[in-house]
Amino acid sequence: MPLVKSAPRVLENVSMLPYNTFGIDVSARYFVEINHLQEYIELVQTGNYAHVKHLFLGGGSNLLLTKDIEALVVKIQMDGIEVVDEDADHIWVKAGAGVVWHDFVCYAVDHHWAGIENMSLIPGTVGAAPMQNIGAYGVEIKDTFDHLDALNLTTMQLERFDTARCAFGYRESYFKHEGKGQYLITAVCFRLNKQVEPQTSYGAIQSVLAEKGIVNPGINDVANAVIEIRQSKLPDPKEIGNSGSFFKNPTLSAEAAAELIKGYPNIPHYPVEGSSMIKFPAGWLIEQAGWKGYRSGDAGVHAKQALVLVNYGHAKGNEIQMLSEQIKKSILEKFGVVLETEVNIL
Ligand code: EPU
């Protein structure tokens, strides 16, 4: 049996500060970095860490840590981007789970492969992207997703998931429900378009392009517009700790939506594709309830986008969680709307 040249080193009591974009300083009982799947398989075969849970970590950008982690944190670093197939219109490109999502987007844009440019600058890794079907500016990964490979943690065999098996929804997938904790995503394959048809229907993209006088945008123009929009209203985690949108945008039945719109005629709302549900921006609700720019100690609500909770320095995870509970309560009282958390709280 060939052995990996150097077995990954498992560290003990490691600070998670560099590994989560909220900038929360808790410690992990055990911590290991995995560059090849085989390293993880061999680590499991030793049986040394069978007594603790294994927590897989990508960019740590959708995570709020509220206490020390009594588990083995497995930092996924499998890299590599390769073209696996192509025809006249499409190219199938596969990336390792540990590839930084924005690096993958830049790679595609540089090669003129369209379909993911609207998701420029979303923090996190390729492997984490399908978990919550990441999306921005009118596009979600399900739109260009082809398949993913995942290690079944019970059988330790690789399995392939196509779009249907992933059960994607708005910030949802099989891996947040039935498949939770059962698989380690190792690589994701996308079907990108050689024929470029930029998706600019999202208002903010159109206005940035118009300001620049760009009439026939290429995908690099769209990517640059998205980067500009994101940088203007979303805080950079390197400067202010955050995990992007803290809540999901709530969706209501047509009936409940009509009632809400009657009370608040200016409320923005959007139909949900393929259903009669209506989606409302949680950021608007939170701003109207007076929370935008709120700060208590080092926990706060971002001043430019109320959907984003921030850590100004040394906030504890449970202080941010408490703030999120206060916001939920206030939105329920004022609008009768239940907000769901988008970030994983541990
Ligand atoms: N709005 C307010 N006040 C705010 C924030 C937003 O009134 O403080 C209003 C805006 O004026 C606009 C509407 O809410 O009418 C929507 O705002 P925006 O375009 O900023 O998008 P969002 O719905 O707040 C979602 C995603 C973001 C994604 C953007 C752009 C979710 C939970 N969030 O935010 O994703 O970048 O659309 O597509 O769906 C993330 O998931 O971490 C994330 C940042």
Side-chain angles (χ1 to χ4, degrees):
M1 262 288 267
L3 286 173
V4 266
K5 284 183 204 86
S6 61
R9 214 153 69 90
V10 177
L11 305 173
E12 296 197 20
N13 303 320
V14 172
S15 165
M16 292 297 287
L17 190 56
Y19 303 112
N20 72 102
T21 59
F22 244 126
I24 306 288
D25 192 6
V26 296
S27 114
R29 182 70 189 90
Y30 303 105
F31 179 90
V32 67
E33 293 179 340
I34 296 292
N35 295 298
H36 302 281
L37 179 60
Q38 192 58 22
E39 294 175 344
Y40 178 67
I41 293 175
E42 290 182 17
L43 185 69
V44 170
Q45 282 169 347
T46 65
N48 292 345
Y49 298 93
H51 62 295
V52 283
K53 272 177 78 170
H54 294 189
L55 174 73
F56 302 108
L57 187 68
S61 55
N62 201 40
L63 189 61
L64 177 64
L65 298 169
T66 61
K67 50 183 180 296
D68 287 342
I69 305 173
E70 283 304 317
L72 170 67
V73 172
V74 182
K75 174 99 170 52
I76 299 303
Q77 304 197 144
M78 284 86 88
D79 62 5
I81 299 178
E82 59 169 336
V83 170
V84 291
D85 202 358
E86 66 182 297
D87 64 19
D89 298 326
H90 297 106
I91 186 144
W92 283 259
V93 189
K94 198 164 194 166
V99 171
V100 171
W101 172 259
H102 183 63
D103 292 349
F104 182 59
V105 174
C106 292
Y107 188 91
V109 170
D110 286 347
H111 287 78
H112 307 287
W113 300 330
I116 54 175
E117 59 281 356
N118 293 41
M119 294 180 285
S120 294
L121 222 57
I122 294 185
T125 55
V126 166
M131 302 279 296
Q132 55 155 344
N133 180 27
I134 59 167
Y137 305 101
V139 176
E140 294 180 335
I141 76 152
K142 75 165 172 38
D143 305 328
T144 45
F145 178 91
D146 190 78
H147 69 266
L148 63 78
D149 297 327
L151 182 73
N152 179 321
L153 298 169
T154 309
T155 64
M156 294 305 276
Q157 300 295 316
L158 271 179
E159 291 180 21
R160 181 158 286 198
F161 284 74
D162 62 10
T163 309
R165 200 175 166 201
C166 287
F168 291 125
Y170 165 60
R171 294 296 193 278
E172 291 292 355
S173 78
Y174 170 81
F175 301 99
K176 280 176 81 172
H177 297 280
E178 297 93 314
K180 192 169 180 177
Q182 321 242 13
Y183 290 90
L184 161 58
I185 296 171
T186 62
V188 187
C189 182
F190 294 85
R191 193 189 65 158
L192 302 177
N193 300 310
K194 291 180 176 175
Q195 314 303 333
V196 173
E197 272 178 45
Q199 159 73 262
T200 59
S201 56
Y202 208 91
I205 296 186
Q206 278 174 355
S207 41
V208 170
L209 292 173
E211 260 168 45
K212 294 184 192 307
I214 298 171
V215 184
N216 287 315
I219 55 172
N220 57 329
D221 297 316
V222 174
N224 287 335
V226 167
I227 289 170
E228 198 177 311
I229 299 162
R230 290 189 75 97
Q231 285 177 338
S232 73
K233 58 176 159 183
L234 295 172
D236 179 351
K238 289 193 199 89
E239 287 156 23
I240 305 176
N242 75 92
S243 271
S245 303
F246 196 90
F247 303 102
K248 295 205 298 189
N249 285 330
T251 50
L252 301 185
S253 68
E255 217 181 1
E259 193 62 27
L260 186 59
I261 295 166
K262 206 166 107 200
Y264 300 91
N266 297 329
I267 190 169
H269 52 279
Y270 321 93
V272 176
E273 217 183 292
S275 89
S276 61
M277 306 285 279
I278 308 284
K279 193 192 280 185
F280 293 88
W284 189 92
L285 299 171
I286 297 169
E287 178 173 349
Q288 296 300 311
W291 290 101
K292 198 171 187 173
Y294 174 88
R295 178 170 178 171
S296 165
D298 272 352
V301 179
H302 189 50
K304 293 183 189 157
Q305 163 52 291
L307 195 47
V308 178
L309 301 192
V310 291
N311 172 10
Y312 284 105
H314 301 286
K316 299 255 180 285
N318 54 16
E319 292 171 328
I320 290 173
Q321 187 180 14
M322 241 154 56
L323 172 59
S324 78
E325 293 302 332
Q326 285 175 285
I327 293 172
K328 276 187 186 177
K329 187 163 171 275
S330 119
I331 299 304
L332 184 60
E333 283 168 5
K334 186 170 167 67
F335 299 102
V337 173
V338 176
L339 286 187
E340 272 180 54
T341 303
E342 201 236 276
V343 165
N344 295 313
I345 301 180
L346 285 184

